Amino acid sequence: MVLKEEGTLNNRRSLKKIKLILPALTEATSPYWRPIKYSLFPPLGLATLAAYLDPDLDISLQDEHVEKLELNDQPDLVIIQVYITNAYRAYQIADHYRARGSYVALGGLHVTSLPEEAAPHADTVFIGPGEHTFPQFLKDLATGAPRRRYESSVRTLEGLPPIRRDLIQRQRYLVPNSIVVSRGCPHHCTFCYKDGFFAGGRSFYTQLVDDALAEIARLPGRHLYFLDDHLFGNVRFARDLFCGMRGMGRVFQGAATVDSILRDDVIEDAAAAGLRSLFVGFETLSSNALQGAGKRQNLGRSYREVVRRLDSLGIMINGSFVFGLDGDDPDVFRRTVDWAVEVGITTATFHILTPYPGTALFNDMAAQDRIVTRNWDLYDTRNVVYRTSCMSPEELKRGYDWAYEDFYRWTNIFKAASAHNSVKHRLKHFFYSAGWKKFERAWDLVIRIKQLSQLRPILEAVLAPVNPTTEPAPKALTQKSLPVLNNLSVTKTLPATTD
Ligand code: B12
Ligand code: SF4
């Protein structure tokens, strides 16, 4: 390989064998490792990129979270996705393949935050989403002039080729039907990856509704998980999407902000389309802390009203909370857990505040010399990596561990479940919460014997509607959705998952 001119490589290659890899996070060997958490979703980003490759090539997609990597091969091109917590492993694999003569491309969130760190391990690095830079790179590679670095600036999801879901080993995941129909988010929380990742172009954009419905229609089974940062971020899109989904017989989960749940009746549309559980970023009960985190969309909103609204629609809540925001004192853990249990939050995800490189939070903390370690393995929201303000790092870590332990105590699971009015909702809450956190050994066994897909019908049953009124009534389909559904011959009642 010879350097031709600055930033380009004289490297005409004929591609035959291509490998896409999602390396496992270093945590895979730690006591916190929960195999089930990493057997939830397949590597959707890589399957999205694979769609740009010539389907006649020999393409493989490996996810180290669920399988042992085959490293004795010699692909012509290796594409690796780098998150912050798998960065060291990703660089190791990249170095390995470069030593074997493969062309190595690195991209993803961490490469976007720190391209200079990633560059020595790669022939080419990618900044931002890959939908436009990756096909350009493939063209350049074919002509022998790939660049060392590609930066995304065009941001659209129109006309994308269908995701190569055939490369995903569905049986290895509890939720193979993960899907994203938008990218980014309209908000600007200081701790979030999104402003850094989408810098240089639009930071919130959606698919065309018909394309999204077509993608949904292609997915087998009933259950879907929308991984969008904010599924209700564009009201018109969300309404049309949910309208088109009515009558498709789906049950789904997703994420949305506090204000969007209270704003209008999109949430009712979502429930009617099959929304059964929602990830909600409450983050903190303190308005000062919200202000400090730039989380304006939560300010002045009644969290109780959010819970009441979702409850009345039979939607379970996965509440997200961050500990260690400036102003948080040692009482924050008990306050937060007590509130979550009392109002009946189904599952809670607690995080220790983590300043990801590329975020406003990281820049502020670095400027104040508050970053105490740059060991990215510790940036998993379970460790304290910065100088705290109103409590010691030990108190923060202890409090975080306590919060998980206390929230998922049997007594608290019972108590939170009994906060709902209907018996059915109480039971669903109980089984969902206990099932997720109390049967670790059973999950491990099921994963080991490769029977995860057998549990999907149970998940779908737990996600069945609480109120008959939220049942996805086969109402008239929108004009927009009809052509899509007709073309794909989707029936109104899809069979339960069969794989
Ligand atoms: C699903 C998910 C998970 C899943 C599984 C991930 C998987 N199988 O891919 C699970 C539950 C395991 C998980 C775990 C964690 N996650 Co997570 N997760 C997500 C989530 C919600 C969706 C990811 C996704 O599929 N996106 C959609 C696809 C289409 O986009 P994409 O993957 O980014 O891929 C695109 C680009 O990045 C780019 N690209 C990626 N790789 C490459 C390579 C090349 C060569 C090229 C050209 C382009 C390219 O092109 C793709 C198409 O545009 C994101 C939030 C988000 N919206 O992205 C958080 C997110 C990625 N997770 C995050 C975190 C912090 C974690 C955890 C540390 C949390 C924890 N406390 O446990 C762990 C550790 C993860 C790890 N393995 O290291 C952060 C990452 C922060 C960072 N700077 O890295 C995010 C952004 C959430 C957040 N808002 O903070 N996560
Ligand atoms: S609302 Fe969520 S996705 Fe949007 S910027 Fe804030 S943390 Fe990020």
Side-chain angles (χ1 to χ4, degrees):
M1 203 184 311
V2 186
L3 203 57
K4 217 172 61 170
E5 62 187 64
E6 202 184 350
T8 67
L9 298 168
N10 188 355
N11 201 336
R12 190 185 296 270
R13 287 184 179 228
S14 75
L15 296 182
K16 289 196 186 73
K17 194 170 156 54
I18 299 180
K19 187 159 183 176
L20 301 110
I21 303 176
L22 181 64
L25 67 173
T26 315
E27 191 207 60
T29 52
S30 99
Y32 284 112
W33 175 247
R34 298 187 67 215
I36 181 55
K37 184 173 166 194
Y38 298 93
S39 303
L40 286 177
F41 306 114
L44 193 58
L46 290 177
T48 303
L49 297 177
Y52 295 98
L53 295 165
D54 177 347
D56 294 331
L57 297 173
D58 174 0
I59 305 169
S60 65
L61 196 172
Q62 284 207 294
D63 175 359
E64 200 181 16
H65 300 94
V66 298
E67 64 191 303
K68 197 169 167 359
L69 292 184
E70 163 55 53
L71 292 170
N72 281 325
D73 51 352
Q74 199 176 345
D76 302 303
L77 173 62
V78 177
I79 293 149
I80 303 179
Q81 173 155 16
V82 190
Y83 290 123
I84 191 159
T85 42
N86 73 9
Y88 300 133
R89 178 68 178 145
Y91 298 155
Q92 207 181 40
I93 297 168
D95 294 346
H96 165 83
Y97 275 117
R98 289 185 86 205
R100 291 183 148 236
S102 303
Y103 192 100
V104 173
L106 296 182
L109 274 71
H110 190 66
V111 174
T112 301
S113 316
L114 297 172
E116 278 73 29
E117 178 187 289
H121 305 280
D123 294 296
T124 293
V125 292
F126 292 82
I127 318 292
E131 279 82 357
H132 292 88
T133 48
F134 188 60
Q136 183 57 50
F137 158 75
L138 289 175
K139 278 189 206 140
D140 295 346
L141 190 64
T143 59
R147 282 184 274 160
R148 280 208 178 282
R149 176 172 167 145
Y150 289 80
E151 291 188 29
S152 145
S153 56
V154 183
R155 301 281 162 77
T156 165
L157 297 173
E158 287 180 28
L160 303 187
I163 298 170
R164 286 291 306 272
R165 291 184 184 266
D166 56 303
L167 296 172
I168 290 170
Q169 302 177 61
R170 288 178 60 87
Q171 75 285 1
R172 290 189 185 267
Y173 301 95
L174 183 62
V175 185
N177 288 348
S178 62
I179 174 168
V180 282
V181 292
S182 63
R183 297 283 195 279
C185 166
H187 300 296
H188 306 278
C189 308
T190 60
F191 54 74
C192 183
Y193 84 105
K194 121 65 236 196
D195 279 329
F197 185 69
F198 292 97
R202 287 199 290 170
S203 68
F204 179 53
Y205 47 109
T206 67
Q207 278 188 333
L208 295 175
V209 174
D210 283 355
D211 290 350
L213 289 171
E215 174 68 8
I216 291 166
R218 277 192 288 270
L219 294 170
R222 294 191 69 205
H223 178 244
L224 307 175
Y225 203 120
F226 287 92
L227 293 174
D228 301 67
D229 285 325
H230 183 3
L231 191 53
F232 305 168
N234 176 327
V235 180
R236 192 193 292 173
F237 172 81
R239 260 189 219 293
D240 288 350
L241 179 76
F242 299 139
C243 220
M245 284 180 73
R246 272 188 99 157
M248 286 173 100
R250 298 291 187 171
V251 288
F252 65 92
Q253 300 173 258
T257 58
V258 158
D259 63 321
S260 68
I261 295 160
L262 299 175
R263 189 177 49 203
D264 44 39
D265 59 354
V266 169
I267 188 69
E268 271 89 8
D269 289 344
L275 178 67
R276 298 289 171 258
S277 119
L278 195 63
F279 180 98
V280 182
F282 295 109
E283 322 303 12
T284 170
L285 305 178
S286 145
S287 19
N288 279 347
L290 283 176
Q291 195 108 41
K295 200 134 188 143
R296 280 189 224 113
Q297 67 276 21
N298 284 30
L299 270 173
R301 316 282 171 190
S302 163
Y303 284 6
R304 276 183 195 270
E305 183 53 20
V306 170
V307 175
R308 199 202 56 74
R309 199 139 194 227
L310 295 175
D311 228 28
S312 71
L313 294 165
I315 296 169
M316 293 189 284
I317 304 174
N318 178 2
S320 169
F321 301 93
V322 179
F323 294 130
L325 292 159
D326 282 353
D328 275 355
D329 57 30
D331 199 37
V332 69
F333 310 105
R334 173 159 296 286
R335 269 200 315 272
T336 309
V337 172
D338 284 354
W339 179 82
V341 171
E342 186 206 321
V343 298
I345 300 287
T346 320
T347 51
T349 307
F350 300 111
H351 311 271
I352 292 178
L353 180 69
T354 302
Y356 289 116
T359 60
L361 177 69
F362 184 90
N363 296 341
D364 283 353
M365 286 203 172
Q368 296 163 32
D369 199 22
R370 289 179 67 185
I371 304 289
V372 295
T373 172
R374 290 176 196 235
N375 174 355
W376 308 132
D377 284 352
L378 299 176
Y379 280 60
D380 61 357
T381 81
R382 297 188 187 98
N383 291 286
V384 185
V385 297
Y386 65 99
R387 241 172 344 101
T388 46
S389 63
C390 300
M391 65 183 123
S392 69
E394 294 75 24
E395 278 173 313
L396 177 50
K397 174 69 178 147
R398 253 199 323 274
Y400 161 85
D401 288 340
W402 174 88
Y404 260 122
E405 211 183 291
D406 200 57
F407 182 82
Y408 286 103
R409 250 180 238 298
W410 280 113
T411 45
N412 274 342
I413 294 177
F414 277 117
K415 201 166 152 192
S418 24
H420 311 290
N421 288 329
S422 95
V423 175
K424 196 167 173 192
H425 199 158
R426 288 182 196 164
L427 286 172
K428 271 159 55 93
H429 177 136
F430 178 78
F431 284 116
Y432 193 82
S433 178
W436 177 234
K437 276 285 183 176
K438 290 292 191 192
F439 296 98
E440 211 66 51
R441 290 228 181 99
W443 284 118
D444 292 357
L445 176 70
V446 175
I447 291 167
R448 257 203 312 278
I449 60 174
K450 300 195 176 71
Q451 294 299 321
L452 256 189
S453 49
Q454 303 296 334
L455 297 186
R456 239 172 275 142
I458 300 177
L459 174 65
E460 289 173 358
V462 175
L463 294 174
V466 169
N467 312 324
T469 46
T470 60
E471 190 96 49
K475 98 173 190 184
L477 297 170
T478 56
Q479 282 297 343
K480 271 187 163 180
S481 62
L482 273 171
V484 174
L485 300 179
N486 288 341
N487 287 344
L488 293 152
S489 57
V490 173
T491 56
K492 281 186 182 157
T493 43
L494 288 159
T497 178
T498 49
D499 58 328

